[in-house]
Amino acid sequence: MANPSKSTPPRSTPVPPRGGARRGGPGGRPAGGGPVKGGQARQAQHRRNRMLAWGAVVAVVVVVAALIGVKLAGGGGSGGAARQPAPASAVSKLTTVPVSTLVSAASKVHGLYPATAAGDPPLTSGGKPELLYIGAEFCPICATERWPMTVALSHFGTFSNLQQTHSAVTDGNIPTLSYYGSTFTSPYLTFTPVENTTNQRQGNGYKPLQQPTAAEQALWLKHSGNPPSYPFVDIGGKVVLTTSQFPDTVVQGHSFSDIVSAVGSNNNTLGASIDASAAVLTRYICSITNQQPAQTCSAVANVALPSSTGANGSSTSG
């Protein structure tokens, strides 16, 4: 039986200084003087030298412009590339895992980190129960938890415009999804994702992206401390998760396509950990949707909820 081991969260490291590109330029012009024997040949040589020198300048400008373009596209710095649309094939795979597969994984995987009772009034939005997620794109624990959360939520509604990204290079470089700019439609609940920062360094932290409302901030502080940490998942005011359900070391070192391929395949620790976590999350979510949709919720009704203690870690923006 798979038993994902505990781990401590990766820590941020300073960004090394970036050096500037050296610029080239044309050589000095030859000194003037009267005509001498072979003057035409020397003049031709001078013209060739000037052309070569200016060619070198153009080449340097092209290289510098390319580097600037990469930087503006999010490819420079310690954060690595910024988010991009997730491949349609990957989204299709993640959002169509049969609930029976999730239930099967839950019977094999033990040691998942449990949610804790929130003790709050019901959390609602738009007249429906609300699942509030506050995370950050740099955060390796968030990167880990988005995988089962996406799989589980897909049994209650439909995602569009999911993004592909990764935790910061200095924070595990874990391939994952981002909810920034995505939408989720469901007749059963409202999903409110807040990606608080990017995976790009700014000073001692990361560039801000989305800010929680005052009410969301209050819940975040109440359940994860001050300063708050990532991730924070509030399931209808009933239970909260303040870490990933399984250690980030399980996904670290795998490519995006490796992880997508493993989902729904319970013959390895990676796939089974994601699927089992999604099964447990599905049961948590059913507890706030009045056990709807009935077919999904009845299928996970007997999934054992984790009871282990301890933590898989959390992340802060420092």
mmCIF file of all heavy atoms in Angstrom, residues 208-251:
data_model
loop_
_atom_site.group_PDB
_atom_site.id
_atom_site.type_symbol
_atom_site.label_atom_id
_atom_site.label_comp_id
_atom_site.label_asym_id
_atom_site.label_seq_id
_atom_site.Cartn_x
_atom_site.Cartn_y
_atom_site.Cartn_z
ATOM 1 N N PRO A 208 2.998 40.445 -6.773
ATOM 2 C CA PRO A 208 1.591 40.232 -6.425
ATOM 3 C C PRO A 208 0.746 39.986 -7.666
ATOM 4 O O PRO A 208 1.066 40.460 -8.765
ATOM 5 C CB PRO A 208 1.202 41.540 -5.726
ATOM 6 C CG PRO A 208 2.178 42.550 -6.228
ATOM 7 C CD PRO A 208 3.461 41.810 -6.478
ATOM 8 N N LEU A 209 -0.341 39.245 -7.490
ATOM 9 C CA LEU A 209 -1.204 38.910 -8.615
ATOM 10 C C LEU A 209 -2.666 39.215 -8.285
ATOM 11 O O LEU A 209 -3.274 40.077 -8.897
ATOM 12 C CB LEU A 209 -1.023 37.437 -8.990
ATOM 13 C CG LEU A 209 -1.704 36.961 -10.276
ATOM 14 C CD1 LEU A 209 -1.247 37.788 -11.471
ATOM 15 C CD2 LEU A 209 -1.402 35.478 -10.527
ATOM 16 N N GLN A 210 -3.247 38.516 -7.321
ATOM 17 C CA GLN A 210 -4.632 38.746 -6.922
ATOM 18 C C GLN A 210 -4.696 38.956 -5.414
ATOM 19 O O GLN A 210 -3.982 38.293 -4.662
ATOM 20 C CB GLN A 210 -5.523 37.551 -7.294
ATOM 21 C CG GLN A 210 -5.675 37.321 -8.793
ATOM 22 C CD GLN A 210 -6.484 36.061 -9.076
ATOM 23 O OE1 GLN A 210 -6.056 34.955 -8.775
ATOM 24 N NE2 GLN A 210 -7.659 36.244 -9.648
ATOM 25 N N GLN A 211 -5.576 39.845 -4.981
ATOM 26 C CA GLN A 211 -5.731 40.112 -3.562
ATOM 27 C C GLN A 211 -7.058 39.557 -3.058
ATOM 28 O O GLN A 211 -8.090 39.738 -3.705
ATOM 29 C CB GLN A 211 -5.666 41.618 -3.298
ATOM 30 C CG GLN A 211 -4.308 42.240 -3.567
ATOM 31 C CD GLN A 211 -3.222 41.616 -2.709
ATOM 32 O OE1 GLN A 211 -3.380 41.457 -1.503
ATOM 33 N NE2 GLN A 211 -2.110 41.244 -3.335
ATOM 34 N N PRO A 212 -7.055 38.871 -1.920
ATOM 35 C CA PRO A 212 -8.326 38.425 -1.338
ATOM 36 C C PRO A 212 -9.133 39.613 -0.832
ATOM 37 O O PRO A 212 -8.571 40.678 -0.544
ATOM 38 C CB PRO A 212 -7.889 37.516 -0.185
ATOM 39 C CG PRO A 212 -6.512 37.978 0.164
ATOM 40 C CD PRO A 212 -5.897 38.480 -1.106
ATOM 41 N N THR A 213 -10.444 39.437 -0.727
ATOM 42 C CA THR A 213 -11.279 40.470 -0.132
ATOM 43 C C THR A 213 -10.998 40.531 1.370
ATOM 44 O O THR A 213 -10.324 39.656 1.932
ATOM 45 C CB THR A 213 -12.761 40.163 -0.356
ATOM 46 O OG1 THR A 213 -13.106 38.966 0.359
ATOM 47 C CG2 THR A 213 -13.063 39.980 -1.843
ATOM 48 N N ALA A 214 -11.553 41.538 2.023
ATOM 49 C CA ALA A 214 -11.355 41.666 3.468
ATOM 50 C C ALA A 214 -11.909 40.448 4.204
ATOM 51 O O ALA A 214 -11.293 39.943 5.155
ATOM 52 C CB ALA A 214 -12.026 42.948 3.968
ATOM 53 N N ALA A 215 -13.054 39.958 3.761
ATOM 54 C CA ALA A 215 -13.659 38.794 4.413
ATOM 55 C C ALA A 215 -12.815 37.538 4.190
ATOM 56 O O ALA A 215 -12.628 36.726 5.105
ATOM 57 C CB ALA A 215 -15.079 38.574 3.890
ATOM 58 N N GLU A 216 -12.300 37.377 2.962
ATOM 59 C CA GLU A 216 -11.439 36.228 2.662
ATOM 60 C C GLU A 216 -10.139 36.301 3.458
ATOM 61 O O GLU A 216 -9.654 35.291 3.973
ATOM 62 C CB GLU A 216 -11.157 36.182 1.159
ATOM 63 C CG GLU A 216 -12.388 35.858 0.322
ATOM 64 C CD GLU A 216 -12.218 36.174 -1.147
ATOM 65 O OE1 GLU A 216 -11.188 36.794 -1.534
ATOM 66 O OE2 GLU A 216 -13.116 35.818 -1.939
ATOM 67 N N GLN A 217 -9.590 37.504 3.546
ATOM 68 C CA GLN A 217 -8.359 37.710 4.313
ATOM 69 C C GLN A 217 -8.573 37.344 5.783
ATOM 70 O O GLN A 217 -7.707 36.729 6.408
ATOM 71 C CB GLN A 217 -7.915 39.169 4.190
ATOM 72 C CG GLN A 217 -6.640 39.517 4.922
ATOM 73 C CD GLN A 217 -5.384 39.214 4.122
ATOM 74 O OE1 GLN A 217 -5.468 38.925 2.931
ATOM 75 N NE2 GLN A 217 -4.241 39.278 4.758
ATOM 76 N N ALA A 218 -9.735 37.709 6.324
ATOM 77 C CA ALA A 218 -10.018 37.421 7.730
ATOM 78 C C ALA A 218 -10.064 35.915 7.981
ATOM 79 O O ALA A 218 -9.525 35.413 8.977
ATOM 80 C CB ALA A 218 -11.333 38.074 8.137
ATOM 81 N N LEU A 219 -10.699 35.171 7.084
ATOM 82 C CA LEU A 219 -10.739 33.712 7.224
ATOM 83 C C LEU A 219 -9.346 33.114 7.100
ATOM 84 O O LEU A 219 -8.965 32.202 7.850
ATOM 85 C CB LEU A 219 -11.663 33.105 6.160
ATOM 86 C CG LEU A 219 -13.155 33.303 6.348
ATOM 87 C CD1 LEU A 219 -13.914 32.829 5.107
ATOM 88 C CD2 LEU A 219 -13.642 32.541 7.587
ATOM 89 N N TRP A 220 -8.588 33.626 6.160
ATOM 90 C CA TRP A 220 -7.220 33.145 5.923
ATOM 91 C C TRP A 220 -6.359 33.339 7.161
ATOM 92 O O TRP A 220 -5.661 32.422 7.615
ATOM 93 C CB TRP A 220 -6.665 33.902 4.725
ATOM 94 C CG TRP A 220 -5.344 33.435 4.189
ATOM 95 C CD1 TRP A 220 -4.743 32.228 4.385
ATOM 96 C CD2 TRP A 220 -4.474 34.188 3.333
ATOM 97 N NE1 TRP A 220 -3.550 32.174 3.707
ATOM 98 C CE2 TRP A 220 -3.362 33.355 3.050
ATOM 99 C CE3 TRP A 220 -4.529 35.465 2.779
ATOM 100 C CZ2 TRP A 220 -2.312 33.788 2.236
ATOM 101 C CZ3 TRP A 220 -3.489 35.885 1.963
ATOM 102 C CH2 TRP A 220 -2.394 35.054 1.698
ATOM 103 N N LEU A 221 -6.421 34.535 7.740
ATOM 104 C CA LEU A 221 -5.651 34.820 8.947
ATOM 105 C C LEU A 221 -6.109 33.966 10.126
ATOM 106 O O LEU A 221 -5.293 33.485 10.922
ATOM 107 C CB LEU A 221 -5.772 36.302 9.309
ATOM 108 C CG LEU A 221 -5.038 37.300 8.409
ATOM 109 C CD1 LEU A 221 -5.462 38.725 8.731
ATOM 110 C CD2 LEU A 221 -3.536 37.143 8.551
ATOM 111 N N LYS A 222 -7.418 33.776 10.233
ATOM 112 C CA LYS A 222 -7.966 33.019 11.359
ATOM 113 C C LYS A 222 -7.445 31.592 11.382
ATOM 114 O O LYS A 222 -7.114 31.052 12.446
ATOM 115 C CB LYS A 222 -9.490 33.019 11.298
ATOM 116 C CG LYS A 222 -10.148 32.155 12.376
ATOM 117 C CD LYS A 222 -11.663 32.147 12.240
ATOM 118 C CE LYS A 222 -12.290 31.222 13.286
ATOM 119 N NZ LYS A 222 -13.776 31.187 13.172
ATOM 120 N N HIS A 223 -7.362 30.983 10.202
ATOM 121 C CA HIS A 223 -7.055 29.555 10.152
ATOM 122 C C HIS A 223 -5.603 29.218 9.820
ATOM 123 O O HIS A 223 -5.188 28.064 10.002
ATOM 124 C CB HIS A 223 -7.986 28.860 9.156
ATOM 125 C CG HIS A 223 -9.422 28.841 9.586
ATOM 126 N ND1 HIS A 223 -9.875 28.067 10.632
ATOM 127 C CD2 HIS A 223 -10.505 29.531 9.117
ATOM 128 C CE1 HIS A 223 -11.177 28.262 10.789
ATOM 129 N NE2 HIS A 223 -11.584 29.139 9.886
ATOM 130 N N SER A 224 -4.830 30.184 9.332
ATOM 131 C CA SER A 224 -3.438 29.849 9.001
ATOM 132 C C SER A 224 -2.425 30.732 9.700
ATOM 133 O O SER A 224 -1.227 30.593 9.464
ATOM 134 C CB SER A 224 -3.217 29.906 7.483
ATOM 135 O OG SER A 224 -3.370 31.226 6.996
ATOM 136 N N GLY A 225 -2.879 31.632 10.578
ATOM 137 C CA GLY A 225 -1.936 32.425 11.353
ATOM 138 C C GLY A 225 -1.580 33.742 10.699
ATOM 139 O O GLY A 225 -2.019 34.057 9.594
ATOM 140 N N ASN A 226 -0.775 34.517 11.391
ATOM 141 C CA ASN A 226 -0.356 35.832 10.915
ATOM 142 C C ASN A 226 1.168 35.961 11.045
ATOM 143 O O ASN A 226 1.677 35.917 12.161
ATOM 144 C CB ASN A 226 -1.055 36.933 11.714
ATOM 145 C CG ASN A 226 -0.866 38.305 11.095
ATOM 146 O OD1 ASN A 226 -0.309 38.429 10.008
ATOM 147 N ND2 ASN A 226 -1.340 39.332 11.785
ATOM 148 N N PRO A 227 1.943 36.067 9.943
ATOM 149 C CA PRO A 227 1.427 36.177 8.578
ATOM 150 C C PRO A 227 0.845 34.858 8.092
ATOM 151 O O PRO A 227 1.284 33.783 8.518
ATOM 152 C CB PRO A 227 2.671 36.548 7.760
ATOM 153 C CG PRO A 227 3.809 35.966 8.532
ATOM 154 C CD PRO A 227 3.428 36.111 9.978
ATOM 155 N N PRO A 228 -0.140 34.923 7.192
ATOM 156 C CA PRO A 228 -0.771 33.689 6.707
ATOM 157 C C PRO A 228 0.157 32.907 5.788
ATOM 158 O O PRO A 228 1.139 33.444 5.278
ATOM 159 C CB PRO A 228 -1.991 34.204 5.958
ATOM 160 C CG PRO A 228 -1.596 35.558 5.486
ATOM 161 C CD PRO A 228 -0.707 36.121 6.561
ATOM 162 N N SER A 229 -0.143 31.644 5.594
ATOM 163 C CA SER A 229 0.670 30.793 4.728
ATOM 164 C C SER A 229 -0.207 30.182 3.642
ATOM 165 O O SER A 229 -1.439 30.240 3.690
ATOM 166 C CB SER A 229 1.352 29.690 5.547
ATOM 167 O OG SER A 229 0.389 28.869 6.181
ATOM 168 N N TYR A 230 0.448 29.607 2.655
ATOM 169 C CA TYR A 230 -0.233 28.960 1.532
ATOM 170 C C TYR A 230 -0.042 27.451 1.633
ATOM 171 O O TYR A 230 0.987 27.007 2.110
ATOM 172 C CB TYR A 230 0.363 29.417 0.201
ATOM 173 C CG TYR A 230 0.487 30.903 -0.003
ATOM 174 C CD1 TYR A 230 1.724 31.524 0.172
ATOM 175 C CD2 TYR A 230 -0.588 31.677 -0.395
ATOM 176 C CE1 TYR A 230 1.876 32.892 -0.032
ATOM 177 C CE2 TYR A 230 -0.437 33.051 -0.599
ATOM 178 C CZ TYR A 230 0.782 33.649 -0.418
ATOM 179 O OH TYR A 230 0.940 34.992 -0.622
ATOM 180 N N PRO A 231 -0.977 26.671 1.100
ATOM 181 C CA PRO A 231 -2.282 27.075 0.577
ATOM 182 C C PRO A 231 -3.321 27.169 1.692
ATOM 183 O O PRO A 231 -3.091 26.688 2.801
ATOM 184 C CB PRO A 231 -2.633 25.927 -0.367
ATOM 185 C CG PRO A 231 -2.019 24.724 0.294
ATOM 186 C CD PRO A 231 -0.736 25.228 0.923
ATOM 187 N N PHE A 232 -4.465 27.762 1.375
ATOM 188 C CA PHE A 232 -5.600 27.806 2.288
ATOM 189 C C PHE A 232 -6.835 27.392 1.502
ATOM 190 O O PHE A 232 -7.178 28.024 0.501
ATOM 191 C CB PHE A 232 -5.778 29.198 2.872
ATOM 192 C CG PHE A 232 -7.032 29.357 3.687
ATOM 193 C CD1 PHE A 232 -7.214 28.630 4.861
ATOM 194 C CD2 PHE A 232 -8.040 30.217 3.284
ATOM 195 C CE1 PHE A 232 -8.373 28.758 5.617
ATOM 196 C CE2 PHE A 232 -9.199 30.367 4.028
ATOM 197 C CZ PHE A 232 -9.367 29.639 5.204
ATOM 198 N N VAL A 233 -7.473 26.320 1.930
ATOM 199 C CA VAL A 233 -8.673 25.800 1.261
ATOM 200 C C VAL A 233 -9.784 25.723 2.298
ATOM 201 O O VAL A 233 -9.700 24.945 3.248
ATOM 202 C CB VAL A 233 -8.433 24.407 0.631
ATOM 203 C CG1 VAL A 233 -9.681 23.943 -0.124
ATOM 204 C CG2 VAL A 233 -7.220 24.436 -0.303
ATOM 205 N N ASP A 234 -10.806 26.546 2.129
ATOM 206 C CA ASP A 234 -11.956 26.579 3.036
ATOM 207 C C ASP A 234 -13.141 25.960 2.305
ATOM 208 O O ASP A 234 -13.643 26.514 1.318
ATOM 209 C CB ASP A 234 -12.261 28.026 3.435
ATOM 210 C CG ASP A 234 -13.308 28.119 4.547
ATOM 211 O OD1 ASP A 234 -14.215 27.270 4.599
ATOM 212 O OD2 ASP A 234 -13.225 29.058 5.360
ATOM 213 N N ILE A 235 -13.590 24.810 2.772
ATOM 214 C CA ILE A 235 -14.671 24.078 2.106
ATOM 215 C C ILE A 235 -15.976 24.395 2.821
ATOM 216 O O ILE A 235 -16.373 23.744 3.795
ATOM 217 C CB ILE A 235 -14.383 22.569 2.093
ATOM 218 C CG1 ILE A 235 -13.024 22.303 1.418
ATOM 219 C CG2 ILE A 235 -15.488 21.811 1.346
ATOM 220 C CD1 ILE A 235 -12.577 20.856 1.449
ATOM 221 N N GLY A 236 -16.626 25.452 2.337
ATOM 222 C CA GLY A 236 -17.950 25.813 2.824
ATOM 223 C C GLY A 236 -18.029 26.275 4.257
ATOM 224 O O GLY A 236 -19.111 26.280 4.848
ATOM 225 N N GLY A 237 -16.901 26.645 4.857
ATOM 226 C CA GLY A 237 -16.901 27.016 6.259
ATOM 227 C C GLY A 237 -16.977 25.829 7.189
ATOM 228 O O GLY A 237 -17.035 25.985 8.411
ATOM 229 N N LYS A 238 -16.935 24.632 6.600
ATOM 230 C CA LYS A 238 -17.076 23.402 7.397
ATOM 231 C C LYS A 238 -15.725 22.825 7.778
ATOM 232 O O LYS A 238 -15.479 22.500 8.946
ATOM 233 C CB LYS A 238 -17.903 22.380 6.628
ATOM 234 C CG LYS A 238 -18.342 21.189 7.463
ATOM 235 C CD LYS A 238 -19.411 20.387 6.745
ATOM 236 C CE LYS A 238 -19.960 19.294 7.656
ATOM 237 N NZ LYS A 238 -21.071 18.546 7.006
ATOM 238 N N VAL A 239 -14.839 22.660 6.804
ATOM 239 C CA VAL A 239 -13.492 22.161 7.067
ATOM 240 C C VAL A 239 -12.496 23.001 6.276
ATOM 241 O O VAL A 239 -12.847 23.613 5.261
ATOM 242 C CB VAL A 239 -13.321 20.661 6.701
ATOM 243 C CG1 VAL A 239 -14.202 19.785 7.566
ATOM 244 C CG2 VAL A 239 -13.614 20.432 5.220
ATOM 245 N N VAL A 240 -11.246 23.021 6.751
ATOM 246 C CA VAL A 240 -10.197 23.763 6.050
ATOM 247 C C VAL A 240 -8.961 22.880 5.891
ATOM 248 O O VAL A 240 -8.677 22.023 6.721
ATOM 249 C CB VAL A 240 -9.810 25.062 6.784
ATOM 250 C CG1 VAL A 240 -10.980 26.025 6.833
ATOM 251 C CG2 VAL A 240 -9.282 24.781 8.176
ATOM 252 N N LEU A 241 -8.248 23.131 4.804
ATOM 253 C CA LEU A 241 -6.931 22.539 4.565
ATOM 254 C C LEU A 241 -5.921 23.666 4.541
ATOM 255 O O LEU A 241 -6.132 24.677 3.860
ATOM 256 C CB LEU A 241 -6.898 21.806 3.228
ATOM 257 C CG LEU A 241 -7.376 20.362 3.176
ATOM 258 C CD1 LEU A 241 -7.548 19.923 1.728
ATOM 259 C CD2 LEU A 241 -6.403 19.434 3.891
ATOM 260 N N THR A 242 -4.827 23.510 5.263
ATOM 261 C CA THR A 242 -3.780 24.531 5.268
ATOM 262 C C THR A 242 -2.451 23.954 4.792
ATOM 263 O O THR A 242 -1.389 24.487 5.088
ATOM 264 C CB THR A 242 -3.622 25.129 6.677
ATOM 265 O OG1 THR A 242 -3.377 24.081 7.614
ATOM 266 C CG2 THR A 242 -4.873 25.904 7.072
ATOM 267 N N THR A 243 -2.500 22.882 4.045
ATOM 268 C CA THR A 243 -1.324 22.268 3.446
ATOM 269 C C THR A 243 -1.804 21.359 2.327
ATOM 270 O O THR A 243 -3.015 21.221 2.097
ATOM 271 C CB THR A 243 -0.515 21.478 4.493
ATOM 272 O OG1 THR A 243 0.685 20.989 3.882
ATOM 273 C CG2 THR A 243 -1.292 20.297 5.029
ATOM 274 N N SER A 244 -0.892 20.734 1.621
ATOM 275 C CA SER A 244 -1.296 19.747 0.622
ATOM 276 C C SER A 244 -1.637 18.436 1.316
ATOM 277 O O SER A 244 -1.161 18.160 2.418
ATOM 278 C CB SER A 244 -0.175 19.528 -0.397
ATOM 279 O OG SER A 244 1.010 19.101 0.246
ATOM 280 N N GLN A 245 -2.442 17.625 0.677
ATOM 281 C CA GLN A 245 -2.859 16.361 1.289
ATOM 282 C C GLN A 245 -1.746 15.318 1.288
ATOM 283 O O GLN A 245 -1.792 14.379 2.071
ATOM 284 C CB GLN A 245 -4.089 15.814 0.566
ATOM 285 C CG GLN A 245 -5.336 16.681 0.743
ATOM 286 C CD GLN A 245 -6.456 16.239 -0.155
ATOM 287 O OE1 GLN A 245 -6.540 16.650 -1.310
ATOM 288 N NE2 GLN A 245 -7.318 15.370 0.347
ATOM 289 N N PHE A 246 -0.787 15.470 0.399
ATOM 290 C CA PHE A 246 0.370 14.570 0.368
ATOM 291 C C PHE A 246 1.610 15.415 0.102
ATOM 292 O O PHE A 246 1.511 16.541 -0.381
ATOM 293 C CB PHE A 246 0.203 13.455 -0.679
ATOM 294 C CG PHE A 246 0.071 13.946 -2.095
ATOM 295 C CD1 PHE A 246 1.186 14.032 -2.925
ATOM 296 C CD2 PHE A 246 -1.168 14.314 -2.611
ATOM 297 C CE1 PHE A 246 1.067 14.489 -4.229
ATOM 298 C CE2 PHE A 246 -1.299 14.771 -3.918
ATOM 299 C CZ PHE A 246 -0.179 14.856 -4.730
ATOM 300 N N PRO A 247 2.798 14.924 0.425
ATOM 301 C CA PRO A 247 4.015 15.746 0.335
ATOM 302 C C PRO A 247 4.351 16.192 -1.079
ATOM 303 O O PRO A 247 4.166 15.448 -2.044
ATOM 304 C CB PRO A 247 5.103 14.829 0.894
ATOM 305 C CG PRO A 247 4.382 13.821 1.714
ATOM 306 C CD PRO A 247 3.067 13.601 1.034
ATOM 307 N N ASP A 248 4.894 17.395 -1.196
ATOM 308 C CA ASP A 248 5.292 17.905 -2.495
ATOM 309 C C ASP A 248 6.433 17.109 -3.108
ATOM 310 O O ASP A 248 6.641 17.141 -4.323
ATOM 311 C CB ASP A 248 5.691 19.384 -2.389
ATOM 312 C CG ASP A 248 6.811 19.628 -1.391
ATOM 313 O OD1 ASP A 248 6.630 19.315 -0.214
ATOM 314 O OD2 ASP A 248 7.883 20.134 -1.803
ATOM 315 N N THR A 249 7.178 16.363 -2.288
ATOM 316 C CA THR A 249 8.277 15.554 -2.825
ATOM 317 C C THR A 249 7.776 14.455 -3.755
ATOM 318 O O THR A 249 8.533 13.934 -4.578
ATOM 319 C CB THR A 249 9.082 14.920 -1.682
ATOM 320 O OG1 THR A 249 8.186 14.247 -0.780
ATOM 321 C CG2 THR A 249 9.863 15.973 -0.908
ATOM 322 N N VAL A 250 6.498 14.088 -3.640
ATOM 323 C CA VAL A 250 5.934 13.052 -4.513
ATOM 324 C C VAL A 250 5.883 13.531 -5.963
ATOM 325 O O VAL A 250 6.092 12.743 -6.896
ATOM 326 C CB VAL A 250 4.528 12.640 -4.020
ATOM 327 C CG1 VAL A 250 3.856 11.677 -5.011
ATOM 328 C CG2 VAL A 250 4.609 11.991 -2.639
ATOM 329 N N VAL A 251 5.629 14.833 -6.167
ATOM 330 C CA VAL A 251 5.541 15.355 -7.538
ATOM 331 C C VAL A 251 6.831 16.029 -8.010
ATOM 332 O O VAL A 251 7.039 16.190 -9.211
ATOM 333 C CB VAL A 251 4.370 16.360 -7.685
ATOM 334 C CG1 VAL A 251 3.049 15.643 -7.644
ATOM 335 C CG2 VAL A 251 4.420 17.419 -6.607
#
